Amino acid sequence: MDRDQLKVRARRLIAAANELLTIAHELEQGEGDGTAERLAESMTNTVAAKDSPVWAELARNAYRERRRRADVFKDQTLFGEPAWDIMLDLFIAAKERKRLPVTSACIGAAVPATTALRWLTVLEEKGLIVRENDTADARRVFVRLSAEGYEKMVGYFAEVAGDMRSDEVVESPALRMAR
């Protein structure tokens, strides 16, 4: 088996693993006979144990806030983090079970296409994303998070959510006086 065939098989396995993680999480969130809880317990220290559909909404909010900030300051380049924008976009796509063409990932990065393509290459070299040829249209290439990239995004949003839950609400003096 040549190297290209191995890559294709590896990509299919990663896609299947991502799908299994999503199914495991859906089971975890479901009601019923405790099967979901047993499955979650058996997968401790894995992404499925931390994964949540809520993370997609957190990612969407983070992406919207980045666009809003650029709009307010009237400068798209001032706060540029194209790699993060790409990762957010791909994470949202993964959570929605959508395939994202390279051109869409470039648009989502909110930078010139050449800059976005360079960042896609960097992310691919770091093992955070993978490119997949479209079997139906040889002109199109899809990009998605690798298993490692997905796991890191889940870990990040799990930490963010944990920080949000553990932050104590600090009452303002004006609010205390109003009581």
Side-chain angles (χ1 to χ4, degrees):
M1 191 173 299
D2 71 359
R3 185 174 167 92
D4 288 339
Q5 288 174 325
L6 288 173
K7 282 185 176 181
V8 168
R9 282 189 171 185
R11 288 180 183 143
R12 288 176 49 208
L13 282 171
I14 291 168
N18 284 341
E19 182 68 15
L20 287 172
L21 291 172
T22 302
I23 291 168
H25 181 270
E26 289 170 357
L27 286 171
E28 181 181 40
Q29 297 302 312
E31 299 173 25
D33 62 359
T35 304
E37 290 79 9
R38 286 191 304 279
L39 177 61
E41 286 174 11
S42 72
M43 298 182 78
T44 34
N45 300 324
T46 65
V47 175
K50 302 186 281 188
D51 204 354
S52 169
V54 174
W55 304 168
E57 192 55 37
L58 286 175
R60 272 190 219 80
N61 288 340
Y63 188 83
R64 274 193 298 268
E65 289 304 314
R66 293 180 54 67
R67 299 286 76 77
R68 183 177 303 146
R69 184 178 60 186
D71 289 344
V72 167
F73 285 90
K74 308 289 187 235
D75 189 347
Q76 295 289 332
T77 62
L78 191 58
F79 302 109
E81 283 185 275
W84 183 238
D85 287 335
I86 290 168
M87 294 291 288
L88 286 170
D89 205 12
L90 292 176
F91 185 68
I92 293 165
K95 295 302 276 177
E96 294 175 348
R97 297 182 184 171
K98 292 182 182 173
R99 297 180 78 192
L100 202 64
V102 167
T103 51
S104 295
C106 289
I107 291 167
V111 293
T114 53
T115 302
L117 288 169
R118 276 193 303 274
W119 278 107
L120 284 171
T121 300
V122 168
L123 292 169
E124 186 175 31
E125 288 170 354
K126 294 196 177 291
L128 297 172
I129 67 165
V130 291
R131 296 178 202 234
E132 300 173 322
N133 293 324
D134 185 347
T135 55
D137 184 349
R139 298 167 296 174
R140 187 166 51 182
V141 176
F142 292 104
V143 64
R144 65 174 174 74
L145 292 174
S146 66
E148 179 184 0
Y150 185 83
E151 183 178 340
K152 287 182 186 276
M153 293 300 283
V154 167
Y156 171 80
F157 285 109
E159 253 186 63
V160 167
D163 288 348
M164 289 168 54
R165 281 192 300 264
S166 66
D167 284 347
E168 292 182 4
V169 177
V170 178
E171 215 173 58
S172 71
L175 186 57
R176 276 194 301 266
M177 290 172 53
R179 285 192 200 178

